[in-house]
Amino acid sequence: MASSISPDGRSDTRKFCSGWAVFLALLIAPLCVIAAISAQFAFETPWSERPVVAYVALAIVCGLSAPAMVLLFQQDPPGTRAVIGLFLVGLALRGIFFPTTPILEDDWHRYLWDGAIVAQGGNPYQFAPAEGLARDAFGALHPPTDNRALASIRALGESDPRFPERVNYPYLTTIYPPVAQSAFAVAATIAPFSLFAWRAVVAAADLITFALLSAALAAYGRPRFWALLYWLNPIVIVQSFSAAHMDVLLGPFLIGALLLSRRGASLLSGAALAGAIGVKIWPLILVPIFMRAAYKRGPRSALLFACAVLGLGAVVLLPMLADLGEGRSGLAAYTESWARNAFLFSILEGVLGVFTSDSGLIARLTVGAILTAVSICIAFRRSDAGARLPGVALALTAGLFFLSPTGYPWYAIWLIVLTPFAPTYGIASLSATLPLYALRFPNALTDGEVGPTILALQFLPPLALLLWEARKWSHR
């Protein structure tokens, strides 16, 4: 590992080593404690006995390692041996969460339920999990049914009483697109209703993302070691392996699309971006800037990209959109009215509420229109779209994250996977502020009531820092 050398040859080296020691302590110690206390968050444990405040404090301390890592990498880049060592640290930190209880989050119940349905040939967009229960909402047994699909769902529910009983929002169908459903089904094929199997699928996607990120950084002329910003980020580790969220599934497709675009493989780049859309619908806003990058290589490349991303994207989303009009559609409920932990969106909604009674819908349409217009504007105006594609994708994704009506901590993974292309303290600092989200669960400090102050603390400092950094870049 390289280090700064002062005239005496020692003081700068000691300072450098001390910096890395502090970083590793901030990262490793809190994560180990979080893993150790996870058993206290079991489903059966009363809320009064769950150490929510302690978890938040540990996560905040751990989150400080992210901006520290940006600083250390900028001051003195790590050598090959150090990169290997840090990779192994990240691998070990993921491993310690495999046998642990998920902390505060229960989305994984939905993943395992959906995966079991898909693995047996069912359609998770057709029936809500509650329809797999033996009894209805009033406790009466469901009458026999001639509908084979429904009977299959109910038989699946009887095979493991925890599912679908613990699925959140059980009276709504799934919101997860078909490519994500394929990953859920892989876990179910390995072992039905197994959290360990699901974490193994997450780990595979995570490793592929790191490998592709390393290759993409080199393709765009950046040192490969910056991929560690993703690999060692505590939000990625905690939200993917402790909470078992599925957002890392986006990484292989999104980074793969960037890498293939840089290599001039427009058709494959479009297919990869369609895969990203099949995991999370929002990468649709990136289509114009990818199209611009493809057009730089000629109209034929742009046409190939468009055919791949739009054609495959439509095919991928069709099963999900077919049941969109149903009253129990989870996607319809999410897009029309879902709002949680939103900062700028809440402000926009409040302002619009002065003029209209349907401020939530108008705010959603406004955000969508702004992001689409910005993406198209950049696509038409940037002459260096190919070289700047990852940075522009990061900027658009940051806009989506900060304007979104749902500011979940695990959504920050969308930003973190792109940050190695343009390291910022603003995005890194989200790792230290977003853990405050967990204070909305019952706890001794806030009693589960999160006011505007805690909301602002999560988003305002990182946003202000990010805007300050963007202003500096604009003057370069």
Side-chain angles (χ1 to χ4, degrees):
M1 183 184 297
S3 60
S4 303
I5 302 297
S6 65
D8 65 8
R10 297 178 180 176
S11 59
D12 284 357
T13 300
R14 283 198 297 267
K15 183 179 179 181
F16 175 76
C17 292
S18 298
W20 276 102
V22 170
F23 161 73
L24 290 172
L26 286 173
L27 178 68
I28 297 172
L31 284 179
C32 289
V33 178
I34 287 172
I37 66 173
S38 66
Q40 299 178 52
F41 289 87
F43 182 83
E44 302 80 6
T45 304
W47 280 104
S48 60
E49 298 177 17
R50 301 187 190 187
V52 175
V53 176
Y55 164 72
V56 170
L58 289 164
I60 289 173
V61 172
C62 187
L64 294 173
S65 66
M69 185 162 41
V70 175
L71 177 62
L72 287 168
F73 281 6
Q74 288 179 341
Q75 286 186 342
D76 208 326
T80 302
R81 292 175 63 184
V83 169
I84 294 172
L86 291 170
F87 171 79
L88 293 176
V89 168
L91 198 62
L93 290 174
R94 285 158 168 79
I96 64 173
F97 284 105
F98 263 70
T100 63
T101 301
I103 295 178
L104 298 177
E105 301 299 333
D106 59 1
D107 286 355
W108 58 278
H109 290 105
R110 171 78 72 166
Y111 309 157
L112 299 187
W113 173 254
D114 285 0
I117 291 176
V118 175
Q120 69 174 17
N123 181 0
Y125 307 109
Q126 185 178 9
F127 297 106
E131 294 173 90
L133 294 169
R135 298 176 180 272
D136 62 21
F138 302 99
L141 285 170
H142 286 296
T145 177
D146 294 328
N147 188 317
R148 290 186 177 181
L150 182 56
S152 177
I153 294 292
R154 289 179 180 169
L156 188 63
E158 291 176 2
S159 68
D160 192 325
R162 298 172 303 164
F163 301 89
E165 197 169 80
R166 295 182 185 179
V167 174
N168 53 14
Y169 305 101
Y171 292 96
L172 294 175
T173 59
T174 187
I175 65 171
Y176 301 104
V179 175
Q181 294 293 337
S182 299
F184 304 159
V186 169
T189 302
I190 296 171
F193 300 121
S194 167
L195 180 58
F196 193 93
W198 167 241
R199 282 172 167 154
V201 171
V202 169
D206 194 36
L207 282 165
I208 294 170
T209 298
F210 179 78
L212 289 174
L213 189 53
S214 179
L217 285 165
Y220 283 93
R222 290 194 56 80
R224 293 174 182 266
F225 66 77
W226 283 110
L228 291 169
L229 284 186
Y230 165 83
W231 186 249
L232 294 175
N233 188 283
I235 280 189
V236 174
I237 296 171
V238 171
Q239 297 301 332
S240 301
F241 292 90
S242 172
H245 282 293
M246 51 76 66
D247 294 77
V248 295
L249 298 179
L250 188 70
F253 296 100
L254 183 55
I255 303 304
L258 288 170
L259 176 60
L260 290 164
S261 176
R262 187 61 170 169
R263 291 180 174 175
S266 298
L267 185 67
L268 293 176
S269 177
L273 190 60
I277 293 167
V279 175
K280 289 279 188 177
I281 298 175
W282 71 261
L284 275 168
I285 66 170
L286 303 180
V287 170
I289 62 171
F290 272 87
M291 181 82 77
R292 172 63 169 174
Y295 187 78
K296 289 287 289 183
R297 292 183 292 274
R300 182 176 179 274
S301 292
L303 180 61
L304 288 173
F305 173 82
C307 289
V309 71
L310 299 179
L312 287 176
V315 171
V316 162
L317 294 180
L318 186 61
M320 185 181 199
L321 299 178
D323 293 297
L324 187 59
E326 298 291 330
R328 60 180 181 271
S329 170
L331 178 61
Y334 185 87
T335 54
E336 291 172 6
S337 59
W338 220 294
R340 182 70 58 86
N341 206 46
F343 178 53
L344 293 181
F345 181 85
S346 297
I347 296 173
L348 176 61
E349 188 177 26
V351 171
L352 292 173
V354 177
F355 307 99
T356 176
S357 59
D358 203 359
S359 58
L361 177 60
I362 301 300
R364 281 171 169 77
L365 293 174
T366 301
V367 169
I370 290 172
L371 292 171
T372 302
V374 170
S375 182
I376 293 173
C377 181
I378 292 173
F380 274 98
R381 298 189 64 176
R382 296 293 309 195
S383 60
D384 54 354
R388 298 291 184 94
L389 183 58
V392 175
L394 174 59
L396 283 171
T397 307
L400 172 69
F401 177 78
F402 283 103
L403 288 169
S404 174
T406 47
Y408 296 121
W410 49 96
Y411 284 7
I413 293 172
W414 312 344
L415 298 174
I416 295 164
V417 74
L418 293 169
T419 301
F421 295 100
T424 69
Y425 290 105
I427 292 175
S429 64
L430 285 168
S431 299
T433 62
L434 287 178
L436 290 168
Y437 165 83
L439 292 177
R440 66 176 52 253
F441 294 94
N443 65 87
L445 186 63
T446 68
D447 198 28
E449 297 294 328
V450 176
T453 300
I454 291 177
L455 190 61
L457 286 173
Q458 290 182 68
F459 295 97
L460 189 55
L463 179 59
L465 188 54
L466 188 59
L467 292 174
W468 177 74
E469 290 176 298
R471 180 175 175 272
K472 288 198 308 179
W473 295 334
S474 66
H475 287 84
R476 291 179 181 177

